[in-house]
Amino acid sequence: MSEVLIAPSLLSADFACLSEEIQSVEQAGADWLHLDVMDGVFVPNLTFGPPLIKALRPHSGLHFDVHLMMIEPERHLEAFAAAGADSITVHLEACPHLHRTLGQIRALGVRSGVALNPSSNIGDLDYVLDQLDQILVMAVNPGFGGQKFIEAVVPKISRLRDLIQSTDRSIDLAVDGGIDATTARRVKSAGANVLIAGQAIFKSSDRAASIRELRAVLALE
Ligand code: DX5
Ligand code: ZN
């Protein structure tokens, strides 16, 4: 499997100085930047939308990985693409016409992703695999940073890795929520290749050291 990518989640950054916060994780060795969009309906929290992403775009060369925790995401895909998203992930539970929505994301020239809540079944992905560039496994119930990792998702990650391998497609498998040095190793062993981490990186007093530590545990077999 290719190298594991580390994606700090901006949700745990200091919102008073976001461009500096992004530059700090970019210099610390991050691969992607994960941006959590929450609508206060699909999840009980509110964050930000396309104008903020657009304003941040010139301040970073990182891949902008936009995670839409919202109902009816298809209404806003164009705006997120225009704001500079490199990948857009929608929630399975929020998309009655998932096949169409993923096609719309790709038609905008953006990588397409589906996120699965901890309780969601992977079988719903069987018929959209040809529309997918990445799958995001939620290891917490979406809405907040700093929650406890839900162990039950580990076998789900393994099953998804098997599914991806059986199709011979190069679909990234990301895990989001409760990632730290201990859980990182377990989800990598289960087959994840993108690790999203909010508190473990942004709340650390030495972000470069935290990313190095994650890479060191990921390098262990
Ligand atoms: C939660 C978000 C996550 C969150 C992860 O709904 O999707 O991206 O920022 O935060 P940590 O790593 O602190 O659990
Ligand atoms: Zn997220």
Side-chain angles (χ1 to χ4, degrees):
M1 202 200 310
S2 54
E3 201 203 335
V4 176
L5 302 177
I6 296 184
S9 167
L10 198 62
L11 189 63
S12 291
D14 180 351
F15 275 33
C17 48
L18 287 175
S19 65
E20 289 91 334
E21 289 286 82
I22 295 173
Q23 278 156 18
S24 127
V25 290
E26 192 161 357
Q27 279 159 17
D31 298 299
W32 287 7
L33 183 74
H34 183 81
L35 298 120
D36 288 303
V37 175
M38 303 187 188
D39 68 352
V41 179
F42 181 68
V43 288
N45 197 4
L46 281 166
T47 55
F48 49 77
L52 186 96
I53 296 173
K54 187 176 179 196
L56 294 174
R57 185 66 280 188
H59 295 272
S60 171
L62 290 173
H63 174 110
F64 274 17
D65 178 44
V66 176
H67 177 191
L68 299 183
M69 284 160 275
M70 63 193 302
I71 60 164
E72 301 181 352
E74 62 281 355
R75 295 173 54 205
H76 303 279
L77 298 175
E78 228 175 295
F80 283 108
D86 295 296
S87 48
I88 296 179
T89 295
V90 294
H91 264 264
L92 170 72
E93 308 81 9
C95 293
H97 306 291
L98 184 62
H99 190 277
R100 177 192 292 150
T101 305
L102 295 172
Q104 286 168 337
I105 296 172
R106 280 188 167 173
L108 290 163
V110 175
R111 285 168 52 87
S112 64
V114 175
L116 301 179
N117 279 338
S119 61
S120 295
N121 208 310
I122 68 170
D124 289 324
L125 297 184
D126 282 350
Y127 303 109
V128 293
L129 290 170
D130 61 339
Q131 297 291 315
L132 267 179
D133 296 306
Q134 56 193 75
I135 299 170
L136 174 59
V137 176
M138 291 303 305
V140 298
N141 287 297
F144 303 95
Q147 301 182 78
K148 193 175 173 322
F149 182 85
I150 297 171
E151 295 291 332
V153 304
V154 176
K156 187 195 275 193
I157 297 164
S158 307
R159 280 188 218 120
L160 279 166
R161 176 50 66 191
D162 290 346
L163 180 67
I164 291 168
Q165 261 160 5
S166 74
T167 68
D168 234 14
R169 296 177 201 280
S170 66
I171 298 173
D172 284 313
L173 184 53
V175 182
D176 188 7
I179 293 296
D180 58 21
T182 308
T183 55
R185 211 177 148 191
R186 304 205 26 235
V187 301
K188 187 232 168 180
S189 303
N193 75 307
V194 180
L195 302 190
I196 295 154
Q199 303 245 322
I201 296 173
F202 274 107
K203 296 298 184 205
S204 157
S205 56
D206 185 341
R207 292 165 180 175
S210 303
I211 292 177
R212 269 200 310 276
E213 189 194 351
L214 281 173
R215 290 205 197 282
V217 296
L218 293 170
L220 303 169
E221 269 321 315

